[in-house]
Amino acid sequence: MMFKDLHPSLRNAMYVVLFSFTALVAATFYTIRLTFQHFEPVMDKNYYEIGLNYEKAIENQKDLLSQGYQLTTNWDNTTLLPLGESNLTVSLNQKGVLAKADSIYIVLERNATTKHTARYDLTPSNLSFTGKISLKETGTWNLRIISSINGKTFEREGKITVR
């Protein structure tokens, strides 16, 4: 016995302390193991560059909005999208008239996780861009449409619900 020379009440207290310390160490290692098993990287790998260019991106967005640019999709009037593949058509308009974008892609993501984040590059078709988007899970998704217009990035964000 480890504490045989101690008074019985003090001996019991020492065993409680020893047991508590062992449980704390075990819980710490279990937490570390869970962290490494379910590790997810930061939301955006280029966060440093994005932070450096944040002011410029806001200026570009404001400038393009003041010029009357707007992104529209065939999903705009849809409240619920079906599970599976759906066709998406995105058009760039300037003051109500179709305009030309250099490229358009979309990013589908969930809040606070990168597990199901997906990027889809859309294909040019006349003055719009189209693509098949795979909606693999039900629920609410954040939809970001990012277009490049003469070297400037123009973005629209919204939410879609998949049932």
Side-chain angles (χ1 to χ4, degrees), residues 106-126:
I106 70 157
V107 177
L108 277 178
E109 56 196 2
R110 294 279 199 177
N111 288 338
T113 183
T114 58
K115 187 180 267 186
H116 300 290
T117 298
R119 174 184 164 147
Y120 297 93
D121 292 306
L122 301 180
T123 308
S125 171
N126 294 330

Side-chain angles (χ1 to χ4, degrees), residues 4 8 14 29 31 43 50 56 63 68 100 105 108 130 138 150 162:
K4 63 182 176 184
M14 292 305 289
F29 281 110
T31 303
M43 290 295 275
I50 290 171
K56 185 164 179 55
D63 183 38
K100 180 167 176 22
Y105 66 92
L108 277 178
T130 61
T138 60
N150 300 324
V162 179

Side-chain angles (χ1 to χ4, degrees), residues 25-38:
V25 169
T28 301
F29 281 110
Y30 180 71
T31 303
I32 291 170
R33 186 172 144 254
L34 281 180
T35 301
F36 281 108
Q37 279 181 341
H38 302 289

Side-chain angles (χ1 to χ4, degrees), residues 71 90 92 101-106 120-122 129 145-147:
L71 288 164
V90 178
L92 177 69
D102 300 326
S103 67
I104 295 179
Y105 66 92
I106 70 157
Y120 297 93
D121 292 306
L122 301 180
F129 286 75
I145 306 168
I146 299 125
S147 64

Side-chain angles (χ1 to χ4, degrees), residues 11-75:
R11 185 180 322 136
N12 291 341
M14 292 305 289
Y15 282 125
V16 168
V17 169
L18 185 65
F19 175 76
S20 299
F21 179 74
T22 305
L24 179 66
V25 169
T28 301
F29 281 110
Y30 180 71
T31 303
I32 291 170
R33 186 172 144 254
L34 281 180
T35 301
F36 281 108
Q37 279 181 341
H38 302 289
F39 174 75
E40 289 185 31
V42 294
M43 290 295 275
D44 199 321
K45 290 176 177 57
N46 302 322
Y47 65 91
Y48 183 72
E49 288 81 9
I50 290 171
L52 288 175
N53 299 323
Y54 186 68
E55 293 296 325
K56 185 164 179 55
I58 290 175
E59 281 303 314
N60 286 344
Q61 185 82 2
K62 284 181 182 177
D63 183 38
L64 293 169
L65 280 170
S66 70
Q67 293 177 33
Y69 282 101
Q70 182 181 16
L71 288 164
T72 57
T73 74
N74 61 322
W75 290 356

Side-chain angles (χ1 to χ4, degrees), residues 70-85:
Q70 182 181 16
L71 288 164
T72 57
T73 74
N74 61 322
W75 290 356
D76 286 350
N77 297 323
T78 306
T79 53
L80 297 174
L81 292 164
L83 204 58
E85 279 197 348

